[in-house]
Amino acid sequence: MRLSGTTTGSTPLSSPEFHAEITPSHLENKTAFRDEVYVNSESDNVVPIVDRRENNELSRSLKQRHIQMIALAGAIGTGLFLSLGGALQTGGPLGALLGYAFVGAVVCAVQFALGEVSALFPVTGSFVRHAEFIFDPALGFAVGWNVVYGTYLSVPSEISAALVLIQYWTDKYPALWITIFIVITFLVGIVFVGVYGEVEFFFAMLKILLVVGVVIMGLIIDLGGVSGQERIGFRYWSNPGPFVEYLSSGSWGQFLGFWAVMNNAVYSFAGVESLSVAAAETQNPRQNIPKACKRVFARVTILYLLSVLIVGMLVPSNDSALDDYSGTASESPFVIAATRAGINAVPSIINAIVLTSAWSASNQSLLAGTRILYGLALKKQAPQVFLRTTKYGIPYVCVILQTLVATLAYMSLSNGALTVFYWFLDLTAAGTLVSWSVILFNHIRLHQGLKKQGIAKEELPWHHWWTPYTSWAALASCILFLLTGGFSVFVNGNWDTATFISSYLDIPLVIVAYSGWKIFKRTKIIPLDEIPIRDALDEIVRAPEEKIPPSRGWRRLNIFWG
């Protein structure tokens, strides 16, 4: 499985000496240099890690600030604004805070694992292609099609959610609104990828401003800063209490409430793994993708946990207003608190930002689905027609197919059809945990390969001493989340077929896809000593990136995109 027999010295890739040694004098003409590298590689019988087609046909137009904010846009979705009320009801203020903190720690481990592997293998399709290099091509096939299926159905789902949000203001012309969202999503996906980056950058900034704004507003309300409102403080942590009993009584019921919050929190963070799926379209991916990954910890801590904390201070867990399941801003606990404080403009502002979140999620699903399908086609695991690109480097056949699937959003015009549509969507509800598990497993296998081949982890473009341990802990947590995702249906009198399907059917689907491709193609598990780690390191030497200068001055304090 070795891709080349070339070896290099043990100089760490992150050292100044390494960058000074490998930077060619003609690096200014990067395109010509890459072509030259690939020609020489072919003549030496070297198969490059980054496929020649993705290297030459896709456009590296996503800049550092784009990829950083795509990660943020994936971490902050409609779940943060609308679902916190449900988490508060189920687990109580402390249960919700601990649940989101625990899942946030798992997400951080996932992101660091993804960053380390992506820096070594910056390929389109991200962890799907990594599984092929590191474990078994059959695993890449199974998880890749699982992600494609989930992301393709997510686009009409998000468009349907956007329609519900618009109905907060008006219920007229629903078909027209769906058509507008489909057309706009298609245009963002088919034009220059840099346009997608700018759109996501703008949406992410709106989300940051909204979260900061509602947190400040919440603190003002809680501390009695609104005229006519008394100070609340941590009153609701005492009465009705820090935890809520769920499905049982006593300490066991409180634990189940906390666990239910944790399972719900997983899906609030869904999408953070998509920041590297367009690695071949990112400038200096070996540097920019790790930078985006390591920012997640600060974002999770500051944005998510502060939001959960403030919500638990503003609204009691037994508040009847939390029973609103309209799918609009009216169910947000921030809106409930603001309305009671007489701040009437907040509901429309939050609903508008959540509307952009739904559109942003639609755009992100389109990017992830089309790029992973393109990556599958590169490895002949999907029809070759999906390799066709525009002159701007966009896989337009993938985009057209996903746009056609997006027309399923019209099913929301019929209640019966919408029910069937969500049954299909529920089949991949556990796909997020499957993807996270594969990311962590890839990382663990990479470090096992390093040890087997006698390569120091310091040679990796990006590494941390603790990540081998956190990946094991996070993988165990993801498997536990996956197996207990539908635990509520096993409680007497609480069986629900749809919940059971959404929680567990994805597991056998992935197993069947893996086994089927393995039998059909007779793929083999790659031995640890044949994982192409040295070949990837050699490719870094043959095609080095320009060194990104470190941030200086006030930019060093920027935790969001710098």
Side-chain angles (χ1 to χ4, degrees):
M1 182 65 188
R2 290 279 298 173
L3 299 186
S4 77
T6 311
T7 59
T8 62
S10 59
T11 306
L13 296 180
S14 57
S15 68
E17 292 80 9
F18 178 86
H19 289 289
E21 176 184 338
I22 64 174
T23 302
S25 59
H26 59 291
L27 192 58
E28 294 179 1
N29 190 351
K30 294 184 287 296
T31 302
F33 175 67
R34 288 202 307 267
D35 291 342
E36 177 184 327
V37 167
Y38 277 78
V39 170
N40 291 339
S41 296
E42 289 182 347
S43 63
D44 294 334
N45 295 320
V46 176
V47 180
I49 296 296
V50 181
D51 191 274
R52 179 169 185 169
R53 292 196 66 164
E54 64 181 315
N55 191 76
N56 293 338
E57 294 179 4
L58 301 180
S59 172
R60 291 194 182 275
S61 303
L62 292 178
K63 301 178 181 179
Q64 177 181 341
R65 62 185 178 88
H66 293 150
I67 203 70
Q68 299 277 2
M69 297 299 268
I70 287 173
L72 181 56
I76 303 176
T78 55
L80 176 63
F81 302 118
L82 302 185
S83 300
L84 289 186
L88 182 62
Q89 270 188 315
T90 303
L94 182 55
L97 184 63
L98 292 176
Y100 273 83
F102 189 26
V103 174
V106 171
V107 170
C108 289
V110 170
Q111 290 297 84
F112 273 79
L114 180 63
E116 288 193 9
V117 181
S118 296
L120 184 64
F121 301 115
V123 293
T124 298
S126 185
F127 58 92
V128 173
R129 298 271 300 284
H130 298 160
E132 173 197 342
F133 291 127
I134 295 174
F135 181 66
D136 189 339
L139 180 61
F141 170 83
V143 176
W145 277 106
N146 190 60
V147 174
V148 168
Y149 172 58
T151 52
Y152 269 51
L153 280 182
S154 291
V155 175
S157 171
E158 294 295 344
I159 292 175
S160 299
L163 178 63
V164 174
L165 292 164
I166 286 180
Q167 289 174 346
Y168 178 79
W169 295 298
T170 178
D171 57 0
K172 295 181 178 180
Y173 314 117
L176 176 62
W177 290 116
I178 291 174
T179 303
I180 291 174
F181 278 114
I182 291 176
V183 171
I184 293 177
T185 301
F186 169 76
L187 291 177
V188 172
I190 201 68
V191 298
F192 192 52
V193 72
V195 174
Y196 165 82
E198 294 295 345
V199 169
E200 287 303 293
F201 183 87
F202 175 72
F203 284 161
M205 287 300 299
L206 286 179
K207 294 177 184 180
I208 293 173
L209 293 175
L210 177 61
V211 174
V212 172
V214 295
V215 166
I216 294 174
M217 178 197 71
L219 281 174
I220 293 174
I221 294 174
D222 183 76
L223 297 175
V226 177
S227 177
Q229 298 289 317
E230 62 178 345
R231 184 179 183 275
I232 302 174
F234 283 88
R235 178 186 309 172
Y236 301 134
W237 285 54
S238 300
N239 183 24
F243 293 97
V244 171
E245 295 177 350
Y246 179 66
L247 298 178
S248 186
S249 58
S251 299
W252 178 242
Q254 292 178 348
F255 173 78
L256 291 181
F258 155 73
W259 197 259
V261 167
M262 211 148 42
N263 283 315
N264 290 334
V266 167
Y267 303 109
S268 295
F269 289 106
V272 295
E273 69 279 3
S274 65
L275 78 149
S276 66
V277 297
E281 297 167 86
T282 303
Q283 296 176 2
N284 301 316
R286 291 188 172 96
Q287 299 172 72
N288 282 328
I289 290 177
K291 281 188 176 183
C293 289
K294 72 179 181 180
R295 299 293 182 185
V296 171
F297 179 76
R299 294 171 188 139
V300 168
T301 302
I302 295 176
L303 301 179
Y304 256 99
L305 298 189
L306 269 181
S307 298
V308 177
L309 176 65
I310 294 299
V311 161
M313 295 164 61
L314 291 177
V315 181
S317 58
N318 59 357
D319 196 314
S320 60
L322 295 174
D323 293 328
D324 184 344
Y325 301 112
S326 63
T328 64
S330 58
E331 72 177 69
S332 169
F334 288 114
V335 170
I336 295 171
T339 301
R340 290 174 179 172
I343 308 175
N344 297 321
V346 168
S348 288
I349 294 175
I350 290 182
N351 200 71
I353 301 298
V354 173
L355 181 61
T356 68
S357 294
W359 183 23
S360 172
S362 173
N363 291 336
Q364 199 165 54
S365 293
L366 188 142
L367 180 79
T370 54
R371 271 47 176 190
I372 288 180
L373 182 56
Y374 178 89
L376 289 171
L378 276 176
K379 308 312 296 181
K380 295 182 171 55
Q381 295 173 341
Q384 298 298 285
V385 68
F386 294 119
L387 289 175
R388 296 182 181 180
T389 59
T390 67
K391 64 179 180 180
Y392 298 110
I394 302 297
Y396 68 90
V397 178
C398 298
V399 174
I400 291 173
L401 175 62
Q402 191 151 358
T403 303
L404 292 175
V405 175
T407 59
L408 290 174
Y410 289 109
M411 297 173 70
S412 62
L413 301 177
S414 166
N415 290 333
L418 185 62
T419 300
V420 175
F421 165 62
Y422 278 111
W423 266 79
F424 282 110
L425 186 65
D426 284 343
L427 296 180
T428 58
T432 295
L433 286 171
V434 172
S435 296
W436 291 0
S437 297
V438 171
I439 290 170
L440 294 163
F441 180 69
N442 288 341
H443 182 256
I444 291 169
R445 285 275 299 181
L446 173 64
H447 278 268
Q448 290 175 338
L450 287 171
K451 185 176 180 180
K452 182 72 173 180
Q453 298 178 29
I455 300 175
K457 61 179 179 294
E458 287 76 17
E459 288 195 60
L460 295 176
W462 195 62
H463 76 280
H464 298 83
W465 66 267
W466 68 83
T467 53
Y469 309 103
T470 56
S471 288
W472 274 111
L475 178 60
S477 299
C478 285
I479 293 174
L480 189 59
F481 293 158
L482 191 59
L483 296 179
T484 61
F487 76 90
S488 62
V489 303
F490 300 110
V491 177
N492 288 335
N494 207 46
W495 174 262
D496 182 73
T497 303
T499 300
F500 178 80
I501 290 175
S502 66
S503 300
Y504 297 114
L505 190 58
D506 202 54
I507 300 174
L509 286 179
V510 172
I511 293 175
V512 169
Y514 171 77
S515 302
W517 190 258
K518 190 170 186 64
I519 294 172
F520 178 65
K521 287 293 186 178
R522 298 182 180 179
T523 64
K524 296 181 179 180
I525 295 177
I526 300 170
L528 291 175
D529 57 358
E530 293 184 13
I531 297 175
I533 301 174
R534 177 57 64 191
D535 303 284
L537 296 175
D538 291 345
E539 188 163 307
I540 296 174
V541 176
R542 293 193 302 270
E545 296 179 352
E546 289 182 284
K547 180 70 173 177
I548 298 177
S551 300
R552 300 183 182 278
W554 66 271
R555 294 182 181 274
R556 298 179 62 182
L557 303 176
N558 183 3
I559 64 169
F560 294 117
W561 67 84

